[in-house]
Amino acid sequence: MNYEQRYFLYLVKSYLNGEKISEPNSDIDWHSVYLYACEQSLYNLFYSALVKITNKPNEQIMAKLKSKYKRSLMKYTNNNFEAKQTVELIASNGIKVMPLKGYFIKEYYMQPEFRYVSDLDIITDDLNKTTDLLLENGYEIVKDDIHHTALIKNGFVTEVHKSLFVGKLKKYFLNPFENAFELSNNIYRMEDNYFYAYVIAHFAYHFSASGAGIRSIIDVYYLNKNLNISDKSLISDCSLSQFEQEILSFALNLFEGREYDDTIAEILYLSHTSGLYENRAAIDSSRHGKSRLIKKVFPSMDYLSTAYPIERKSQLPYFWAKRLIDASRRDNDNTYDVIVDENRVKKFNDVISKLGLEDF
């Protein structure tokens, strides 16, 4: 990692811990640090920490950063309002609704606006009734696939999940409402152990596909700090114990001022917030080596089930063909581009092995 990457992590952990922030080197490249903050969806946190130090960008640049910060806060406020309105609308119409991930995680941050939430993820006990209700109230469908139905209103997207996961993780998270409690009329929240296992599994799901960023590390840190986690058997059932242990160790080392794993940190930066397409080819190559082209064109049933309603292995030939046809219809599709950055492949290979995700 370079100096700017290290300082950004230091800035984040110091501010969140309420510690005095040491001044950076006089020649620090603030533009790079700013880009890292934006790529990791941590701009609000970055700006709040930045104003606390002396050696910061000049007044003209700070004025622009402040303007962006105000716009970002306004967007957060609007998104938060839309999310709560949507949840309350569904619940008030007799539908059990459970917000997922960031809706609750943000409340554990020093300030909730530091944990930017770009959309609302929910699961309900009646998908069709929920979709019809939202359509009747001015929402429009923008996507409908095997995983969720996405609707938009006032520029804010709500994803109504059909299941918590698709693929190999689906069978472990089939009954979210049986592992939840009612916060208020028809609004539910997962029990702590189940919630933590879900967040870890979601982190691993993203990481194994295209990477995941620093915000996910902060989430894990805050969940461990605030939840009553007494049972990790579900994480073990998902074969994610090694992943959870390594990620938690990284988070604790970072926030407690100990030496953390540089290789993991570098991958977090390469992944931005929720992964990049460039990482997909590197991850695929690190797992399958020379056979990666075959794996891309003829993926497994678990992989296909993330996009298509495949139920039996006998359906594989049909969905392989359908996938190729669908890809050919997308002008900008690069699903089968097998040109990869070998340096990136090596980095992901090392970290995937360290995290126990080789067969995930």
Side-chain angles (χ1 to χ4, degrees), residues 110-296:
M110 175 193 287
Q111 294 174 219
E113 64 267 23
F114 290 166
R115 209 291 186 179
Y116 181 69
V117 178
S118 59
D119 56 17
L120 170 67
D121 292 277
I122 59 172
I123 192 164
T124 73
D125 68 340
D126 193 325
L127 173 68
N128 292 332
K129 188 176 178 181
T130 302
T131 304
D132 289 344
L133 173 67
L134 295 180
L135 291 173
E136 291 167 5
N137 282 272
Y139 297 74
E140 297 179 4
I141 293 177
V142 292
K143 185 178 182 181
D144 188 19
D145 59 27
I146 189 174
H147 194 190
H148 42 50
T149 300
L151 305 98
I152 191 169
K153 182 180 180 181
N154 298 329
F156 184 70
V157 174
T158 296
E159 294 186 351
V160 186
H161 286 243
K162 299 174 182 179
S163 60
L164 292 183
F165 290 100
V166 292
K168 64 172 62 178
L169 287 172
K170 182 176 180 178
K171 63 184 178 183
Y172 300 109
F173 294 90
L174 291 175
N175 304 302
F177 282 98
E178 293 179 11
N179 294 277
F181 59 94
E182 192 171 14
L183 280 175
S184 57
N185 290 340
N186 291 320
I187 300 176
Y188 286 76
R189 179 199 165 115
M190 294 175 184
E191 298 282 0
D192 284 2
N193 291 317
Y194 194 84
F195 187 29
Y196 182 62
Y198 168 64
V199 171
I200 290 295
H202 190 266
F203 190 170
Y205 175 81
H206 271 288
F207 198 100
S208 64
S210 57
I214 295 166
R215 191 182 70 182
S216 294
I217 293 291
I218 303 175
D219 287 353
V220 170
Y221 174 74
Y222 275 122
L223 291 182
N224 272 273
K225 189 175 180 180
N226 291 279
L227 299 187
N228 179 23
I229 303 168
S230 58
D231 182 1
K232 296 184 180 181
S233 58
L234 182 52
I235 294 173
S236 177
D237 290 344
C238 296
S239 300
L240 290 173
S241 292
Q242 183 177 339
F243 177 81
E244 187 269 340
Q245 290 166 12
E246 291 289 341
I247 288 300
L248 178 56
S249 176
F250 181 95
L252 293 175
N253 286 340
L254 171 64
F255 279 92
E256 293 174 6
R258 297 190 295 269
E259 186 176 346
Y260 51 80
D261 191 310
D262 277 1
T263 58
I264 293 177
E266 192 167 357
I267 292 299
L268 296 172
Y269 275 110
L270 284 174
S271 300
H272 293 196
T273 305
S274 301
L276 293 179
Y277 175 79
E278 294 93 313
N279 295 342
R280 288 182 181 270
I283 293 170
D284 203 46
S285 181
S286 71
R287 284 176 171 162
H288 308 304
K290 294 180 179 179
S291 66
R292 63 184 180 269
L293 177 58
I294 294 174
K295 293 286 186 179
K296 278 181 172 292

Side-chain angles (χ1 to χ4, degrees), residues 33-79:
V33 182
Y34 161 78
L35 290 178
Y36 296 141
C38 294
E39 291 167 355
Q40 299 292 331
S41 299
L42 293 170
Y43 178 78
N44 290 348
L45 173 55
F46 161 70
Y47 178 80
S48 298
L50 184 62
V51 298
K52 297 292 184 180
I53 63 176
T54 301
N55 180 23
K56 49 182 174 275
N58 64 47
E59 290 185 7
Q60 184 178 7
I61 293 176
M62 286 301 296
K64 291 180 179 179
L65 292 175
K66 184 177 182 179
S67 178
K68 178 179 173 65
Y69 175 67
K70 288 182 176 179
R71 293 195 304 272
S72 182
L73 284 183
M74 184 176 296
K75 188 171 184 180
Y76 167 83
T77 301
N78 291 339
N79 286 357

